[in-house]
Amino acid sequence: LRMVLIGPPGAGKGTQAPNLVSRFNAAHLATGDMLRSQVAQGTQLGKEAKKIMDQGGLVSDDIMVNMIKAELSSEKCKKGFILDGFPRTIPQAELLDQMLKEQGKPLQKAVELKVDDELLVSRITGRLIHPASGRSYHKTFNPPKVEGKDDVTGDDLVQRSDDNADALKKRLSSYHAQTEPIVNYYQKSGIWAGVDAAQSPFKVWGDIIKCLGYDA
Ligand code: AP5
Ligand code: ZN
Protein backbone atom coordinates (compact mmCIF):
# COMPACT_ATOMS: atom_id res chain seq x y z
CA LEU A 1 0.00 0.00 0.00
CA ARG A 2 1.29 3.43 -0.96
CA MET A 3 -0.69 6.21 0.65
CA VAL A 4 -0.70 9.65 2.22
CA LEU A 5 -2.47 10.73 5.42
CA ILE A 6 -3.49 14.38 5.37
CA GLY A 7 -4.91 16.33 8.29
CA PRO A 8 -4.39 19.27 10.64
CA PRO A 9 -2.26 19.00 13.80
CA GLY A 10 -4.02 16.59 16.14
CA ALA A 11 -6.21 15.03 13.43
CA GLY A 12 -4.89 11.57 14.29
CA LYS A 13 -2.29 10.89 11.57
CA GLY A 14 0.24 9.53 14.04
CA THR A 15 -2.48 7.61 15.90
CA GLN A 16 -3.84 5.82 12.83
CA ALA A 17 -0.57 5.24 10.95
CA PRO A 18 0.57 2.32 13.18
CA ASN A 19 -2.73 0.52 12.43
CA LEU A 20 -2.02 0.83 8.71
CA VAL A 21 1.57 -0.26 9.19
CA SER A 22 0.62 -3.48 10.94
CA ARG A 23 -2.28 -4.24 8.62
CA PHE A 24 -0.36 -3.68 5.37
CA ASN A 25 3.23 -4.32 6.39
CA ALA A 26 4.13 -0.86 5.11
CA ALA A 27 6.69 1.62 6.42
CA HIS A 28 5.58 4.65 8.46
CA LEU A 29 7.27 7.77 7.12
CA ALA A 30 6.51 10.66 9.49
CA THR A 31 8.46 13.76 8.59
CA GLY A 32 7.69 15.40 11.95
CA ASP A 33 9.20 12.37 13.74
CA MET A 34 12.25 12.51 11.45
CA LEU A 35 12.75 16.19 12.24
CA ARG A 36 12.34 15.61 15.99
CA SER A 37 14.98 12.90 15.79
CA GLN A 38 17.35 15.41 14.15
CA VAL A 39 16.57 17.83 16.98
CA ALA A 40 17.27 15.14 19.60
CA GLN A 41 20.59 14.31 17.93
CA GLY A 42 21.54 17.99 17.95
CA THR A 43 22.41 18.13 14.23
CA GLN A 44 22.68 21.42 12.35
CA LEU A 45 19.46 20.60 10.51
CA GLY A 46 17.83 19.81 13.86
CA LYS A 47 18.83 23.16 15.31
CA GLU A 48 17.38 25.08 12.39
CA ALA A 49 14.25 22.95 12.24
CA LYS A 50 13.51 23.32 15.97
CA LYS A 51 13.11 27.08 15.69
CA ILE A 52 10.68 26.73 12.81
CA MET A 53 8.72 23.88 14.41
CA ASP A 54 8.35 25.65 17.76
CA GLN A 55 6.93 28.63 15.91
CA GLY A 56 4.50 26.46 13.97
CA GLY A 57 6.02 27.24 10.58
CA LEU A 58 7.08 24.88 7.81
CA VAL A 59 10.59 23.67 7.08
CA SER A 60 11.68 24.38 3.48
CA ASP A 61 10.44 22.17 0.66
CA ASP A 62 14.03 21.55 -0.40
CA ILE A 63 15.04 20.02 2.92
CA MET A 64 11.87 17.99 3.25
CA VAL A 65 11.95 16.57 -0.28
CA ASN A 66 15.55 15.43 0.15
CA MET A 67 14.69 13.84 3.47
CA ILE A 68 11.80 11.86 2.04
CA LYS A 69 13.64 10.91 -1.15
CA ALA A 70 16.25 8.98 0.79
CA GLU A 71 13.57 7.14 2.78
CA LEU A 72 11.38 6.24 -0.19
CA SER A 73 14.21 4.50 -1.99
CA SER A 74 15.22 2.50 1.09
CA GLU A 75 14.61 -1.22 1.62
CA LYS A 76 11.92 -0.72 4.26
CA CYS A 77 9.58 0.92 1.73
CA LYS A 78 9.60 -2.07 -0.64
CA LYS A 79 6.22 -3.30 0.62
CA GLY A 80 4.67 0.14 0.67
CA PHE A 81 4.57 3.22 2.85
CA ILE A 82 2.27 5.44 4.87
CA LEU A 83 3.28 9.08 4.53
CA ASP A 84 2.34 11.14 7.61
CA GLY A 85 3.04 14.88 7.52
CA PHE A 86 4.32 14.85 3.94
CA PRO A 87 3.51 16.34 1.48
CA ARG A 88 2.53 19.57 3.17
CA THR A 89 2.68 21.98 0.22
CA ILE A 90 1.77 21.79 -3.46
CA PRO A 91 5.43 21.75 -4.55
CA GLN A 92 6.06 18.82 -2.16
CA ALA A 93 3.06 16.97 -3.62
CA GLU A 94 4.25 17.56 -7.18
CA LEU A 95 7.80 16.45 -6.44
CA LEU A 96 6.51 13.35 -4.66
CA ASP A 97 4.41 12.38 -7.69
CA GLN A 98 7.41 12.89 -9.93
CA MET A 99 9.67 10.77 -7.70
CA LEU A 100 7.17 7.91 -7.48
CA LYS A 101 6.43 8.02 -11.19
CA GLU A 102 10.13 7.54 -11.90
CA GLN A 103 10.02 4.41 -9.74
CA GLY A 104 6.84 3.24 -11.48
CA LYS A 105 5.05 3.18 -8.11
CA PRO A 106 2.46 5.97 -8.00
CA LEU A 107 0.41 6.85 -4.92
CA GLN A 108 -2.76 4.79 -4.54
CA LYS A 109 -4.67 6.80 -1.97
CA ALA A 110 -4.66 10.14 -0.13
CA VAL A 111 -6.87 10.00 2.96
CA GLU A 112 -7.87 13.28 4.57
CA LEU A 113 -8.67 13.18 8.30
CA LYS A 114 -11.25 15.92 8.70
CA VAL A 115 -11.72 17.67 12.06
CA ASP A 116 -12.81 21.19 12.98
CA ASP A 117 -10.12 23.38 14.54
CA GLU A 118 -11.99 23.75 17.88
CA LEU A 119 -11.61 20.04 18.66
CA LEU A 120 -7.86 20.10 18.19
CA VAL A 121 -6.84 22.28 21.13
CA SER A 122 -7.66 19.67 23.77
CA ARG A 123 -6.15 16.89 21.68
CA ILE A 124 -2.87 18.73 21.27
CA THR A 125 -2.49 20.11 24.80
CA GLY A 126 -3.22 16.67 26.33
CA ARG A 127 -0.88 14.70 24.09
CA LEU A 128 2.15 12.78 25.37
CA ILE A 129 4.64 11.11 23.07
CA HIS A 130 7.30 8.42 23.22
CA PRO A 131 10.14 10.17 21.37
CA ALA A 132 12.06 7.05 20.29
CA SER A 133 9.12 5.41 18.50
CA GLY A 134 6.85 8.38 17.80
CA ARG A 135 3.94 6.63 19.59
CA SER A 136 1.42 9.11 20.89
CA TYR A 137 -1.00 9.01 23.81
CA HIS A 138 -3.49 11.39 25.36
CA LYS A 139 -3.87 12.15 29.05
CA THR A 140 -7.65 11.70 28.80
CA PHE A 141 -8.59 10.27 25.39
CA ASN A 142 -5.92 7.58 25.09
CA PRO A 143 -4.04 7.21 28.38
CA PRO A 144 -1.04 4.87 28.67
CA LYS A 145 -1.41 1.78 30.89
CA VAL A 146 0.96 3.30 33.45
CA GLU A 147 0.76 7.06 33.89
CA GLY A 148 3.57 8.87 32.06
CA LYS A 149 5.13 5.65 30.67
CA ASP A 150 5.20 4.12 27.19
CA ASP A 151 3.13 0.89 26.99
CA VAL A 152 5.76 -1.01 25.01
CA THR A 153 9.10 0.08 26.48
CA GLY A 154 8.16 1.62 29.84
CA ASP A 155 10.19 4.72 28.90
CA ASP A 156 9.07 8.16 30.08
CA LEU A 157 6.56 9.99 27.91
CA VAL A 158 7.11 13.68 27.13
CA GLN A 159 5.15 16.63 25.79
CA ARG A 160 6.23 18.02 22.40
CA SER A 161 7.69 21.53 22.58
CA ASP A 162 5.25 22.71 19.89
CA ASP A 163 2.21 21.32 21.73
CA ASN A 164 0.98 24.54 23.32
CA ALA A 165 -1.95 26.79 22.44
CA ASP A 166 0.21 29.53 20.85
CA ALA A 167 2.20 27.29 18.53
CA LEU A 168 -0.96 25.36 17.68
CA LYS A 169 -2.64 28.53 16.38
CA LYS A 170 0.25 29.04 13.99
CA ARG A 171 0.37 25.37 12.99
CA LEU A 172 -3.32 25.57 12.13
CA SER A 173 -2.89 28.65 10.01
CA SER A 174 0.08 27.06 8.20
CA TYR A 175 -2.16 24.04 7.61
CA HIS A 176 -5.04 26.02 6.15
CA ALA A 177 -2.84 28.27 4.02
CA GLN A 178 -0.22 25.85 2.76
CA THR A 179 -1.34 22.26 3.25
CA GLU A 180 -5.10 22.24 2.67
CA PRO A 181 -4.63 23.03 -1.06
CA ILE A 182 -3.18 19.54 -1.51
CA VAL A 183 -6.65 18.15 -0.77
CA ASN A 184 -7.88 19.66 -3.99
CA TYR A 185 -4.73 18.45 -5.76
CA TYR A 186 -5.51 14.82 -4.83
CA GLN A 187 -9.22 15.25 -5.53
CA LYS A 188 -8.30 16.22 -9.07
CA SER A 189 -6.03 13.22 -9.48
CA GLY A 190 -8.85 10.95 -8.26
CA ILE A 191 -7.14 9.28 -5.28
CA TRP A 192 -8.63 11.39 -2.45
CA ALA A 193 -10.96 10.08 0.25
CA GLY A 194 -12.22 12.00 3.29
CA VAL A 195 -12.88 10.54 6.74
CA ASP A 196 -14.68 12.13 9.71
CA ALA A 197 -11.83 12.22 12.22
CA ALA A 198 -13.88 13.79 15.02
CA GLN A 199 -15.15 10.29 15.87
CA SER A 200 -13.45 7.86 18.27
CA PRO A 201 -10.07 6.49 17.11
CA PHE A 202 -11.70 3.08 16.62
CA LYS A 203 -14.42 4.47 14.33
CA VAL A 204 -11.89 6.57 12.41
CA TRP A 205 -9.86 3.41 11.79
CA GLY A 206 -12.96 1.60 10.55
CA ASP A 207 -13.68 4.38 8.07
CA ILE A 208 -10.10 4.50 6.83
CA ILE A 209 -10.01 0.79 6.13
CA LYS A 210 -13.40 1.02 4.41
CA CYS A 211 -12.29 3.78 2.05
CA LEU A 212 -9.25 1.66 1.15
CA GLY A 213 -11.70 -1.04 0.09
CA TYR A 214 -11.19 -3.49 2.99
CA ASP A 215 -13.11 -4.66 6.08
CA ALA A 216 -11.93 -3.58 9.54
P1 AP5 B 1 4.15 16.85 12.62
O1 AP5 B 1 4.84 16.05 13.62
O2 AP5 B 1 3.73 16.23 11.36
O3 AP5 B 1 2.92 17.58 13.36
P2 AP5 B 1 1.44 17.98 12.89
O4 AP5 B 1 1.15 17.91 11.45
O5 AP5 B 1 1.18 19.25 13.56
O6 AP5 B 1 0.58 16.81 13.38
P3 AP5 B 1 0.51 16.21 14.81
O7 AP5 B 1 1.60 15.22 14.98
O8 AP5 B 1 0.37 17.28 15.80
O9 AP5 B 1 -0.91 15.51 14.69
P4 AP5 B 1 -1.36 14.03 14.38
O10 AP5 B 1 -2.38 14.12 13.30
O11 AP5 B 1 -0.24 13.09 14.16
O12 AP5 B 1 -2.10 13.69 15.75
P5 AP5 B 1 -1.97 12.46 16.75
O13 AP5 B 1 -2.38 11.20 16.07
O14 AP5 B 1 -0.67 12.46 17.45
O15 AP5 B 1 5.05 18.10 12.23
C1 AP5 B 1 5.65 18.92 13.21
C2 AP5 B 1 6.35 20.10 12.55
O16 AP5 B 1 7.42 19.63 11.72
C3 AP5 B 1 5.50 20.96 11.62
O17 AP5 B 1 4.78 21.94 12.34
C4 AP5 B 1 6.57 21.55 10.70
O18 AP5 B 1 7.23 22.63 11.31
C5 AP5 B 1 7.55 20.43 10.55
N1 AP5 B 1 7.29 19.57 9.38
C6 AP5 B 1 6.93 18.25 9.40
N2 AP5 B 1 6.74 17.78 8.16
C7 AP5 B 1 6.96 18.82 7.32
C8 AP5 B 1 6.91 18.98 5.90
N3 AP5 B 1 6.57 17.96 5.09
N4 AP5 B 1 7.18 20.21 5.39
C9 AP5 B 1 7.54 21.24 6.17
N5 AP5 B 1 7.60 21.17 7.51
C10 AP5 B 1 7.34 19.96 8.09
O19 AP5 B 1 -3.16 12.83 17.78
C11 AP5 B 1 -3.10 14.00 18.57
C12 AP5 B 1 -3.65 13.70 19.96
O20 AP5 B 1 -5.05 13.41 19.89
C13 AP5 B 1 -3.02 12.48 20.65
O21 AP5 B 1 -2.88 12.75 22.01
C14 AP5 B 1 -4.02 11.35 20.38
O22 AP5 B 1 -3.99 10.37 21.43
C15 AP5 B 1 -5.36 12.08 20.35
N6 AP5 B 1 -6.29 11.52 19.39
C16 AP5 B 1 -6.01 11.02 18.15
N7 AP5 B 1 -7.13 10.62 17.53
C17 AP5 B 1 -8.16 10.89 18.40
C18 AP5 B 1 -9.59 10.70 18.33
N8 AP5 B 1 -10.17 10.15 17.24
N9 AP5 B 1 -10.32 11.09 19.40
C19 AP5 B 1 -9.73 11.64 20.51
N10 AP5 B 1 -8.40 11.84 20.63
C20 AP5 B 1 -7.61 11.46 19.58
ZN1 ZN C 1 1.87 13.31 14.21
Side-chain angles (χ1 to χ4, degrees), residues 7-16 31-33 35-36 49 52-54 56-61 64 84-89 92 113 123-124 126-129 136-139 141-142 160 162-163 171 197-202 204:
K13 305 181 293 294
T15 299
Q16 300 295 338
T31 42
D33 289 350
L35 289 169
R36 280 184 289 280
I52 298 169
M53 292 164 82
D54 285 350
L58 294 184
V59 175
S60 78
D61 288 340
M64 298 316 300
D84 158 1
F86 185 97
R88 239 179 170 96
T89 62
Q92 288 181 17
L113 300 177
R123 286 197 189 178
I124 288 293
R127 170 165 56 190
L128 294 170
I129 64 157
S136 77
Y137 299 85
H138 192 281
K139 287 174 190 164
F141 308 142
N142 179 26
R160 269 168 53 173
D162 60 345
D163 276 353
R171 286 157 65 196
Q199 311 174 89
S200 72
F202 183 72
V204 174

Side-chain angles (χ1 to χ4, degrees), residues 4-79:
V4 173
L5 280 173
I6 308 165
K13 305 181 293 294
T15 299
Q16 300 295 338
N19 297 332
L20 289 157
V21 165
S22 46
R23 175 79 180 245
F24 297 99
N25 226 328
H28 180 197
L29 302 182
T31 42
D33 289 350
M34 292 172 200
L35 289 169
R36 280 184 289 280
S37 136
Q38 294 284 327
V39 174
Q41 291 168 47
T43 64
Q44 189 55 37
L45 169 60
K47 280 178 193 143
E48 286 162 29
K50 183 170 169 40
K51 281 185 225 150
I52 298 169
M53 292 164 82
D54 285 350
Q55 290 167 2
L58 294 184
V59 175
S60 78
D61 288 340
D62 224 31
I63 291 177
M64 298 316 300
V65 168
N66 280 324
M67 187 175 271
I68 216 72
K69 211 179 214 167
E71 294 285 329
L72 281 174
S73 48
S74 72
E75 189 63 32
K76 69 173 182 188
C77 287
K78 282 263 151 66
K79 288 187 180 152

